[in-house]
Amino acid sequence: MSNLPGSDVGLLARLLQFAVRGYQLFLSPYIGWSCRYQPTCSAYMMEALARHGAIKGGWMGFKRIMRCHPWGGHGYDPVPGCGCEQNKAPSEDHNPRITALSSCK
């Protein structure tokens, strides 16, 4: 099994991605650019489904869409990652080179 995001996406997640892609191609151009976040809500949903699957990714995308309104937040809001701690400063007993080369599992 590969460690790439979206490499083991289930059938339900693929169907949801297909629906989101349909929205991006056919409805979004007519609705206009109204998303308050970066990446857009549809791009967020696609990535969340690819990283976390249909249930968790779908729930994350749904919550994001519910936050996208004039009284909600705005700005950069990426999909939470796979839980890697790569951005932490290495402690003294760890080799920083090894820490930087570690990958998500």
Side-chain angles (χ1 to χ4, degrees):
M1 194 181 316
S2 174
N3 287 337
L4 295 174
S7 62
D8 56 348
V9 175
L11 179 62
L12 183 56
R14 287 183 196 265
L15 289 173
L16 291 172
Q17 285 178 326
F18 182 73
V20 172
R21 188 67 183 139
Y23 163 79
Q24 289 175 333
L25 292 174
F26 300 112
L27 289 177
S28 182
Y30 298 107
I31 293 173
W33 299 98
S34 59
C35 190
R36 302 173 53 83
Y37 291 103
Q38 184 64 332
T40 63
C41 292
S42 61
Y44 183 97
M45 176 71 91
M46 293 287 281
E47 188 175 347
L49 290 168
R51 283 189 180 191
H52 301 287
I55 304 298
K56 185 175 180 183
W59 178 248
M60 292 168 69
F62 176 76
K63 289 191 314 184
R64 165 68 178 276
I65 291 168
M66 292 296 104
R67 289 194 318 256
C68 192
H69 55 79
W71 302 279
H74 64 279
Y76 182 63
D77 181 30
V79 176
C82 61
C84 293
E85 301 296 330
Q86 292 178 354
N87 294 333
K88 279 186 162 181
S91 62
E92 292 178 15
D93 58 333
H94 287 97
N95 183 345
R97 191 167 172 202
I98 293 171
T99 304
L101 296 176
S102 67
S103 63
C104 298
K105 293 184 179 160

